[in-house]
Every structure is written in structure tokens, then in C-alpha cells.
Amino acid sequence: MRASLLLLGALLAHACESASIQKPLLQGAKEVPKEQAVKAIGKGKEQKRPLHGRFLHITDFHPDAFYKPFSSTSAESACHRDAGPAGVFGAETSDCDSPFTLVNATFQWLNDHLKDQIDFVIWTGDSARHDSDLQIPRTPSEVVDLNEMLITKFTEVWGKSDNIDDQDPTNDFTIPIVPTWGNNDIMPHNIMEAGPSWWTQKFSHVWRKFIPEEQRHGFERGGWFFVEVIPRKLAVFSLNTLYFFDSNTAVDGCADKSEPGYEHFEWLRIQLQFLRERGMKAIMMGHVPPARTDSKISWDETCWQKYTLWMQQYRDVVVGSLYGHMNIDHFMLQDFDDITKKTAHGNTFEEDAISRQSLMGEGMTIQSTAEYLDELRAGWASIPDAPKSMLQSPEPTSRKKKSREEQYLEKIGGAWAERYAASLVTASIVPNYFPTFRVIEYNLTGLETVKSPADEEDIVDEQSESAGPMIQSDLDVQEHEYESNKKHKKKKGKKKHPKDPKFKVPLPPSKSSPPGPAYSPQTFTWLSYAHYYANLTRINNDFHAIFDLQQMADDDYTVTKHKWREGRHKDKIPKTPHEGILPFEFEVEYDTKNDSIYSMQDLTVRSWVNLASRIGNYRPYWPLEDVDVDQDEKYCGGNSDTRSDRSNKKDKKKEKKRRKKEEHRRIRELWSTFFRRAYVGTRELDDDLHDDFANESGKP
């Protein structure tokens, strides 16, 4: 109650203090009254909606009711007090959270531009502010209120006016919306114990509009569930990655049967097998991604091992995987060759966990994320390049090239790169950089006449008949095993490695089954994505007379171990804070469909492997700036003498070096573009950072 009053008081204070510059805020974090929702949505029964072949991935809102425009972005103030450069729509490139004006403007833009163009929403968590202000500590009720506030915003855009008061909460939306836990959606942040718990029971009610009724018992046990976003065709699995999260000290990986992570994977194995038998496909979604490099890890290794094994064994079912949390736009590959022999035979032990730094939570600096991206690049350097003859076709094309092509295919797992799985990470709404979301386009072949699932009145009954009884019976068995093992764990001493497998290894695809949509173009294959962002520097328009957007390399972006980022405008105060705010809008930063830099034909794993290989070709000791022929020949080990009387042999050598220079230029451009897009255009691969990478590589 105290937190709700505190939240309401903050909202009213902000509304009074800055009414002339902020859009109207919600009058609290609870659901809007029925009459307001009906007015926002429109009266009358909605029309049947055909599928569009697109869905929205949005993540990390971090709404903050205490955000104060033109306050300080320092760590002590957190955009809550004192004078400073905090913008009306957020303090871009800082560690401040999102003002409600940004949340409201985002949903208004979605309503105006995307409402009727997508089939479902994947919402990957962190729907409450960070607990970063010592003067205003978070409370459990505030965390819940902020989540409910965002549900209200989703209702205003995609709610059904005619179902607003019926007895079934799961048919209140025109399209499915699938949420998941963020590490800041609980208290204390990062720490989530095995359920049932106060949090899982509370969110079972908060998310009652999204969780199928027959899965609420399982959700209260572990916070996981799935939704058939296209009935009998496609399901989205909301994974509770907090049980995999290396920073969650309340649990201990996924190896022991008493751990919720172990049960999570057992549940996932059973459900994916059901989908395989029903001929359905699945999308994995979660908050914390399975990052795993030499110095940084986000999941316990035993969980990463199982996840990667599951993705290998169910590669005919899983279409793709989507995550948030890290705030940077990028992707990662899971290499099936990294699955240990013990894991492949059902024996994953806690002792298998590898010791790494866990830096994927709050407090990551610009430098640490840059090092992480460079570690990804260095790891991708081991992926072989596709022969040029295979860039347009995955199959060998000629006898002459067959030997080399076959060697390449053997290294990547065959014609469809089935040695790997890909996980995509979308940047955040909270403006650590610029607010961002992604719209993914998928193959609709054979689904042209299928209607949106929200239009099918019997969707709940169909899911109960097709999956409910099996789900419940298996959960009962798991519950018995879970409780007995939990008691056994308390009694026993040091664990001994059993001779028999500790878990059941998922069945692989049938040898006669074709590659799944993640690998071979077919129905549900992801074709492309459009990456949207809101340029707050332009929209806030606070420093247009002082700063140029191109001059972003200020003190905030120097190499530093300081964990709080104050933003590019730190220590500055707008001269005319109430004038010049521009209309809020999202624009496309890039679209892989027509992007000449990434040059991806589709979003199959083979395309991601090819992109990773090309990024991995870059070497830090190559110069960033364009160089002339003489300089490039020096780097390429050639001769700089280019006199016109050279022999034909020398001319050919010069042409070869020219082509080599052009190839280096394209590789530099690709790596720089990948790096810049990771930070949503707010950070360039500058000379200082480039030199750091070069020094670490041991090259001059």
C-alpha cells in the first residue's frame, strides 16, 4: 500500500511540476477503468484479423515514476533530483531509467503505426525500474504496479473492447502477447528462489491475461509457460531464465534434480516433444541471453550445456530464440561442438561449470561491452569462410569446387549449418543508448487463410484438449520427483557421480525429417527484421545549439571503470528547456531485407553463420581509416612501386592487391557497422578503442 501511494504521489508531483512539457501520465499503476479502455480501443466488435507474417519483439522498458525532466544524470541523482540534462523523453546514453513520457509515446507510436500489422508480441521483461537510488528504494508492490501499468498500455493498443469484462481473461487481446521475467521484475533483483513463491503466485494473477489457464499450476511452480500464438501451428515458450542466470545465488544451475533449472529443462523437453508429435514449431524467448565468451558468461554452464543440447536435438522444431537484458543489439551462436560428451550422454554435473566473470547484469561499462563484442568477433574468426561459389546456394554447384565445398560444409554441420543455433538479442526501450524495438518478418507459406488466434473463440478449449492433459500429468510426476529429491538433497552429503544418466537426453530429429525452419527456408522461417529506434538527441532537442550529434565522443565514452554512465550531456543544463521539443517518432535504423552491409538473404542459421564468419575476418591491427595503395600494399606485404612501365605480371599483382584492399575495406566496414549498431548508433568504433583491441591481439 505504501509503495502504491508513493508511486501515485510521484506521478501527481511530476504532472504538476512539468505539465507543460510531459504527455499525460497514467493516474497510477493499476488498470484503467473500463470506459477509458473502451474509448482508447474503440467501440464495437473487432473484425477478423488475417496473419501478416510479422511480430514485435520489445524489451527492457524500465519505467520510472520518479524520473524528473531536467534533473541530474549523476549516479547520486539518477534523474530524480537536482538540475541537469535529463531530457523530456529520457536521458539517452545514460543509466537513468525511462520516464513515463517515453513509455506513453512508445505505445502511442505502436498504436498509430504497427497495431494492425503484426501477429503477436514477444515482451522479454525488465518492466520495473532499477533499484539504483538509495533515497528511493524499490518495494515489491512498486515492482508489481509497474508491470501492471505496462499491461494497461498493451491493453490500450491491442485490447478487445467486447471482452473487457467477460469471465475469460486470456481472450482480452486482438493478438497474443507473451511476457517473461526480467531480473528486475523481482526483489531483490537477480534473486529468485524455487517456486511456488510469493512472486510466482503474484504474477500468476498479474499475467492472467497471458498464461493459458491449464498452465497456471506449472507457472506458479516455476514461472514458465507457452502460448500457441498460431493455434496448432506455432507456440512461443516463455523461459524463466532467472533459474539459469549465473547471478541468481538462490539457485544452483541445472544439473541437480532438486534445482528448478533442472525441472525447467525437463518441462521444456516434454513440451517440445509434444509439439514435434503434433507437427508444430516453437520460438524460444527469455530475458537473460545465453552469453558465453572467454571472460563473460550470463548462464550457469550446466544450464548452457542443456540448452545447447536441447537446441541441437529439437532443431527441427525450434524456429529461433529471442532475448533482451544486455541493451545492445547483437546475436550469438551456440556451437554444438561445445556440448561435452558427458552432457550428450545425460551426465551434466555442477563440477562441469566453468569459472568466468559474470558481468551481464547492471553496471556494465561501455568498455566492458565493447570487449564482449570483440570476444564474439574473435570467436567467430574460427568459422570458415563460405566458398564464393556457395554464397548463392547452400549446395555444392560444380565438380571442380566440390572438394573444397564439401570440406566447408563438413565444418559447419552440413548444407544447413546444423552445427549451430542462433540467439538474437534486441536492444532496449530504456535509453541506455536510444530506445529500440524490432519487427521480425516470417514466412507465411501455407498460412494465408489462417486467422489470428485471438479471433478463435475456442482457442482455450483447443489448447486444453491438445496439450492440457499431457502437461498436467507430466507435471504431477515431476512434482513428486522434485519434492522427493528436494528432501533427499537435505539428507545426503557430498554428491557422487552416478554411473547412470542423471537426465533424459531429448530425442533427435528423425533421420527422414527435413531441416527445420531455423535452417531451411519454409513456413515460419524468419526472413528479415526491421530495427526501429527513437533518436532522443533530436527529439528532446535540448542541446541543438550546443552539441552536434556527430560529436558524441565526450568524456562519457572514454575508457573508464566507472559503472554509472551520466550520458553525453552530463554536467550540462538546457538553456531553453521548455522550447523546441520535436514530435516523438521511431524510425528504421536498418532493415536486413535491403541491408547491403549485412547482406543476409534470410535469418536462417546458415545466414547468421555466414555473417559471423565475415565479421570474424576482421583483424584489430588493420587501420580503421581508408588508406592509399602504397599504405595498403605495406600492410598486405606487397611492393609499392607502381610505375606504368611494369610488366603484365606486376600489373596483375597490383590488381590483386587492389582487390585485397577493397576486401579489407568491406570487412572493416562490416565490423564497424556491427559495432555501431550494437549501440544503436550512439557509439562509434573510435581510434582509441580500436588501438586497445589491437594491443590485446598482440599485433602492432
Side-chain angles (χ1 to χ4, degrees):
M1 182 66 181
R2 178 180 175 276
S4 296
L5 292 174
L6 189 63
L7 184 60
L8 179 59
L11 293 172
L12 293 175
H14 287 187
C16 295
E17 186 172 320
S18 52
S20 63
I21 56 174
Q22 293 213 53
K23 291 190 174 185
L25 304 181
L26 296 174
Q27 299 302 306
K30 300 294 183 182
E31 293 186 9
V32 293
K34 175 185 175 183
E35 56 270 19
Q36 288 182 242
V38 171
K39 183 177 180 181
I41 299 166
K43 298 180 180 180
K45 188 175 180 65
E46 285 79 4
Q47 299 295 317
K48 295 283 186 179
R49 296 167 61 102
L51 294 174
H52 301 281
R54 288 181 295 276
F55 66 89
L56 169 67
H57 180 198
I58 197 163
T59 191
D60 291 76
F61 279 93
H62 289 293
D64 183 359
F66 302 97
Y67 184 100
K68 182 180 177 181
F70 314 121
S71 61
S72 172
T73 58
S74 67
E76 295 75 18
S77 300
C79 289
H80 292 163
R81 65 189 73 86
D82 302 327
V88 172
F89 289 105
E92 72 274 21
T93 72
S94 80
D95 280 338
C96 293
D97 285 323
S98 301
F100 276 28
T101 47
L102 173 60
V103 175
N104 289 335
T106 295
F107 278 97
Q108 185 63 55
W109 194 94
L110 292 173
N111 182 81
D112 295 343
H113 297 88
L114 283 179
K115 176 180 179 179
D116 299 319
Q117 298 180 26
I118 60 174
D119 301 329
F120 53 92
V121 177
I122 287 178
W123 168 25
T124 48
D126 265 6
S127 303
R129 69 180 175 101
H130 293 95
D131 204 1
S132 55
D133 189 345
L134 297 178
Q135 295 187 31
I136 314 176
R138 299 195 314 168
T139 64
S141 57
E142 181 193 356
V143 172
V144 172
D145 287 346
L146 290 171
N147 270 269
E148 290 185 326
M149 181 271 287
L150 285 179
I151 293 171
T152 298
K153 302 305 295 182
F154 278 110
T155 304
E156 289 175 356
V157 179
W158 286 288
K160 279 184 175 180
S161 60
D162 58 326
N163 288 346
I164 205 73
D165 260 347
D166 67 6
Q167 297 301 310
D168 179 12
T170 61
N171 67 347
D172 286 359
F173 295 93
T174 58
I175 60 175
I177 298 171
V178 190
T180 197
W181 300 92
N183 62 306
N184 284 283
D185 294 326
I186 53 177
M187 286 194 64
H189 76 285
N190 298 342
I191 308 302
M192 188 175 194
E193 297 181 344
S197 67
W198 184 89
W199 288 103
T200 60
Q201 292 172 340
K202 185 67 177 179
F203 271 78
S204 178
H205 176 74
V206 172
W207 288 348
R208 65 193 180 279
K209 296 176 182 291
F210 311 119
I211 305 170
E213 183 176 0
E214 71 277 4
Q215 295 190 57
R216 288 178 191 162
H217 172 70
F219 179 86
E220 289 185 6
R221 286 178 54 78
W224 51 71
F225 66 101
F226 72 89
V227 176
E228 292 190 21
V229 294
I230 301 178
R232 303 174 301 281
K233 302 289 185 181
L234 178 67
V236 171
F237 281 76
S238 178
L239 305 178
N240 186 355
T241 56
L242 299 187
Y243 288 147
F244 313 153
F245 195 21
D246 197 52
S247 296
N248 184 3
T249 57
V251 297
D252 189 17
C254 301
D256 194 277
K257 289 185 178 181
S258 65
E259 292 296 335
Y262 180 97
E263 184 182 1
H264 198 344
F265 276 104
E266 286 298 288
W267 171 85
L268 183 60
R269 176 183 60 80
I270 292 168
Q271 305 313 324
L272 289 177
Q273 185 61 35
F274 288 162
L275 293 196
R276 175 184 281 164
E277 293 170 1
R278 296 172 60 196
M280 291 182 61
K281 305 302 177 185
I283 293 173
M284 301 292 109
M285 63 169 281
H287 181 66
V288 181
R292 184 177 182 265
T293 67
D294 286 341
S295 64
K296 300 176 179 67
I297 190 169
S298 56
W299 287 14
D300 183 277
E301 177 67 6
T302 60
C303 302
W304 188 93
Q305 286 285 330
K306 280 192 171 182
Y307 175 79
T308 304
L309 177 61
W310 264 235
M311 293 304 98
Q312 180 187 45
Q313 300 298 81
Y314 290 112
R315 63 188 183 276
D316 58 324
V317 177
V318 177
V319 177
S321 303
L322 299 169
Y323 297 93
H325 179 63
M326 293 176 66
N327 299 323
I328 53 175
D329 165 27
H330 69 295
F331 69 98
M332 56 190 71
L333 298 175
Q334 288 77 54
D335 187 345
F336 300 153
D337 282 2
D338 288 339
I339 300 172
T340 65
K341 290 183 179 180
K342 287 190 294 186
T343 298
H345 290 88
N347 280 310
T348 296
F349 304 111
E350 290 87 342
E351 290 85 347
D352 292 336
I354 48 181
S355 177
R356 303 170 190 269
Q357 296 176 355
S358 180
L359 298 175
M360 292 301 158
E362 288 72 41
M364 286 192 71
T365 64
I366 287 286
Q367 182 67 8
S368 64
T369 54
E371 291 172 354
Y372 163 72
L373 292 172
D374 192 55
E375 286 175 347
L376 287 178
R377 178 201 59 76
W380 294 338
S382 63
I383 300 175
D385 293 330
K388 293 182 179 180
S389 60
M390 300 186 70
L391 294 180
Q392 301 300 321
S393 172
E395 299 288 352
T397 56
S398 68
R399 291 181 178 275
K400 183 177 180 181
K401 296 289 185 179
K402 187 173 182 179
S403 177
R404 185 175 175 219
E405 292 169 351
E406 285 186 334
Q407 290 179 8
Y408 167 73
L409 294 178
E410 183 179 349
K411 290 179 180 179
I412 67 169
W416 310 107
E418 291 181 280
R419 169 181 163 177
Y420 301 93
S423 297
L424 312 189
V425 183
T426 298
S428 57
I429 289 293
V430 65
N432 288 160
Y433 306 108
F434 282 143
T436 304
F437 61 80
R438 181 176 289 177
V439 175
I440 298 177
E441 183 177 352
Y442 64 94
N443 191 324
L444 266 181
T445 303
L447 302 174
E448 294 83 359
T449 60
V450 176
K451 301 295 183 181
S452 170
D455 295 322
E456 298 196 14
E457 297 179 358
D458 57 349
I459 177 61
V460 175
D461 293 335
E462 289 175 348
Q463 289 193 20
S464 298
E465 293 173 2
S466 62
M470 292 184 285
I471 291 172
Q472 192 57 54
S473 63
D474 277 290
L475 280 177
D476 291 340
V477 173
Q478 288 180 27
E479 182 169 1
H480 173 73
E481 293 181 351
Y482 177 74
E483 294 300 332
S484 63
N485 280 287
K486 199 171 184 180
K487 294 177 182 178
H488 178 63
K489 184 179 181 182
K490 294 179 180 178
K491 296 179 180 179
K492 66 182 181 179
K494 185 177 180 181
K495 291 190 288 284
K496 296 182 180 180
H497 292 179
K499 295 180 180 179
D500 296 327
K502 292 185 67 178
F503 67 87
K504 187 173 181 179
V505 176
L507 296 174
S510 168
K511 292 182 179 180
S512 61
S513 64
Y519 297 89
S520 170
Q522 59 191 270
T523 305
F524 295 127
T525 294
W526 294 351
L527 303 174
S528 62
Y529 67 80
H531 205 262
Y532 289 81
Y533 79 110
N535 188 330
L536 293 190
T537 302
R538 184 178 70 241
I539 295 169
N540 283 326
N541 206 23
D542 295 324
F543 301 99
H544 58 284
I546 305 173
F547 293 97
D548 189 316
L549 184 59
Q550 299 301 317
Q551 298 174 347
M552 297 186 295
D554 58 14
D555 293 340
D556 184 55
Y557 285 97
T558 57
V559 177
T560 176
K561 293 184 178 180
H562 185 53
K563 290 187 176 182
W564 180 275
R565 288 171 289 178
E566 298 185 27
R568 69 164 60 113
H569 303 310
K570 69 175 184 178
D571 301 326
K572 306 295 181 182
I573 299 178
K575 291 185 176 180
T576 55
H578 295 278
E579 300 177 6
I581 300 173
L582 302 179
F584 185 91
E585 65 173 348
F586 281 94
E587 54 192 300
V588 176
E589 181 189 11
Y590 66 98
D591 190 332
T592 61
K593 183 184 299 183
N594 51 27
D595 178 42
S596 61
I597 306 298
Y598 279 5
S599 189
M600 302 178 73
Q601 294 182 349
D602 53 34
L603 303 184
T604 58
V605 172
R606 175 73 178 270
S607 294
W608 289 113
V609 169
N610 180 48
L611 177 61
S613 173
R614 290 188 288 127
I615 293 174
N617 280 333
Y618 179 74
R619 299 296 179 265
Y621 50 89
W622 288 355
L624 280 174
E625 72 282 356
D626 287 332
V627 295
D628 58 32
V629 174
D630 288 349
Q631 287 176 314
D632 192 64
E633 287 175 348
K634 177 182 178 181
Y635 279 98
C636 296
N639 192 321
S640 61
D641 192 350
T642 58
R643 292 177 298 177
S644 59
D645 59 348
R646 284 289 182 188
S647 66
N648 186 49
K649 183 177 180 180
K650 293 293 184 181
D651 289 339
K652 289 182 178 180
K653 187 175 181 181
K654 177 182 175 181
E655 176 61 21
K656 182 178 180 180
K657 290 177 180 178
R658 187 197 66 77
R659 291 196 301 267
K660 190 69 173 179
K661 174 190 173 183
E662 177 61 22
E663 179 184 356
H664 282 195
R665 186 197 64 78
R666 288 195 301 268
I667 294 172
R668 286 198 303 270
E669 182 181 26
L670 175 60
W671 164 239
S672 298
T673 299
F674 173 73
F675 189 93
R676 182 177 66 254
R677 288 175 176 175
Y679 296 102
V680 200
T682 65
R683 174 70 165 117
E684 297 288 343
L685 184 63
D686 56 38
D687 291 334
D688 290 339
L689 190 56
H690 176 266
D691 290 342
D692 287 339
F693 291 159
N695 291 335
E696 290 177 5
S697 71
K699 300 291 181 179

